Amino acid sequence: MAGSDLIELAKRRGFFFGSNGAYGGTAGFYTFGPRGAALKRNLEDAWRDRFTLKEDNHEIEAPTVMPEAVFEASGHLEGFDDMLVECGECGASHRADHLVEDATPIEDAETLSGSEIESLIHEHDIACPACGTPLAGQDVEDFNLMFATNIGPGDSKPGYLRPETAQGIFVEFPRLKEYARGQLPFGVTQIGPAYRNEISPRGGLLRLREFTQAELEQFIDPEDDAPPLERVSDVEVRLYPATEQETDGETYLDVTIGEAVAEGIIGSAWVGYYLGVAREWYERIGVDMGRFRFRQHLPGERAHYAADCWDAESEIDGDWIEIAGFAYRGDYDLSKHGEYADDTFTVFKRYDEPRTVERATVDPDMSILGPEFGGQAKAVGEALERLAERDPDAFDDDTVTLDLEDGETVTVDVDVANFSIEETTETGEHITPHVVEPSFGVGRTVQTLLSHAYTEDEVDGEERTYLDLVPEVAPVDVAVFPLVSNDERLVDLADRVAADLRDRGSAVSYDDSGSIGRRYRRQDEIGTPFCVTVDRDGIEGEGPESVTVRERDEARQARVPVTDLAEEIDALLGGDDTTFDDLLERHDSVETDVETA
Ligand code: GAP
């Protein structure tokens, strides 16, 4: 399948399409149509089920606009840049590192400096993809990806659309820890939009300027908290570690999570745990495991906050695409916000037993320091306190030398400090939690599912395209058709069947237009797992009313009494391992040319 076939199907069948077409289109923005919105919602529900509910985490919903101070603290204002080169001839803007990757064997050009990229553009004679003019000599500049806005009128404050949902979690840590009763470990999740003013949006949903992230921030005590690794230690994963990437290209390690963590291939047990959970979840939602791997970031590639990072990658049209990142962020985020913000980003860690500790204290005699140091006396007193904490032995001498905050050095008599060692009992200490972050791109996962589900085959001698989506994510659970629309008896029963299935919670599509074969093809193309057709055989004759149920992948059909239908459909959709073979054991198979009728 060419990528363009999928993008065309996505548009034709209402999965997604470029936004604002009536106004010429806006690059980097996509609208999810009715089928795509349903698929995306199902995917988000499946993520919520696995990463929030089953992990007993807490989901929040924070605003998408945040004040500048947040991004000063997080480092995004300073360092959330991509490399931009503009064509001197036609003015088109390009990701300079991507141009180098396309023209050379280099795979991670974003780790290079701007001047190295400029030299490579020159050496390889790289030209503007839009007009063909050589780009040699053009400056490569850092371009900050955040969308700026103003908060309020008049003397408004600068704000930014959040470039990741994560910051909405970090800034609320002081309150979120209260909801977790101050106990580590705990996890907070969020699903919502993120915004990046990408230089060159491309690939359908793959690189957008507005996209949905599903993120989990796991707060841990790095000394004491271990993940429940035993739950996933037997999960088999295909790893592409940094060492393999640096040597000979595509050599993978097929190992279990337990082995990879034990052997230190995955540096953090928490990261290992979530790689295992994610591997199982991706399989559950229908990602082709033959086109999936975890790739470790190369040292120069890691984000400014990440100590170790692995990406989940899926293969789409021959390219490996990052669909999620798993980062060990250490205490970077909470320390930064603790430093910049006016609140406490630590938790109190209670010791098992109270501890008696010796603490050096001073009680500077200001009646001596005042006359001697005048306006500097307070600073001298504070410097004595700092020294007592840092180097109590210094007070064994007759005098101590102090470095004041303004850079001056002074010497004072030890006696004025009133130095003493006191014993105190401490019940715990304040620690800054570390963060482990699985961060998923929802749109990229949608595109992966569509690409991996896209199948072409033949039914009854006719070519068809179908999406073998798993029922959990398919936009429509079951389609209901009256064989013909001009027989009231068929229409009435089809209406009843559709209403009944809807009442039970299924997403039902009712279709009475066109030949039955055309209607099957339409459902195949959106991945509907089951179609129910009401025909005359089912309402005429002796037996109870019945309908045909047709499954998507092999187009097999069974005749099922209407009284059993809802339960059978529930079982098939319910993921409790009921298969169409089971249905065929209980009900008659239908050999029919109805596909092409
Ligand atoms: N909080 C960490 C973070 O945001 P990231 O690797 O920059 O990490 C996480 O983004 C995920 O978001 C990526 O793995 C990708 O799936 C998705 N993503 C990032 N930029 C995107 C874009 N411009 N368009 C679509 N998805 C994107």
Side-chain angles (χ1 to χ4, degrees), residues 80 163-166 196 198 205-209 211-213 215 217 305 311 322-325 329 437 439-442 444:
F80 197 57
E164 56 174 2
T165 63
R196 297 182 189 176
E198 297 285 353
L205 305 178
L206 298 185
R207 189 173 296 282
L208 294 177
R209 290 178 167 143
F211 55 97
T212 302
Q213 288 187 319
E215 300 202 288
E217 309 303 328
Y305 48 74
D311 285 343
E322 173 199 336
I323 54 175
R329 296 175 75 127
E437 182 197 62
S439 168
F440 291 67
V442 173
R444 289 189 187 181

Side-chain angles (χ1 to χ4, degrees), residues 57-79:
N57 288 326
H58 313 261
E59 181 174 356
I60 68 160
E61 206 173 309
T64 54
V65 175
M66 303 179 85
E68 186 169 61
V70 169
F71 301 111
E72 263 169 25
S74 69
H76 285 90
L77 209 53
E78 177 66 26

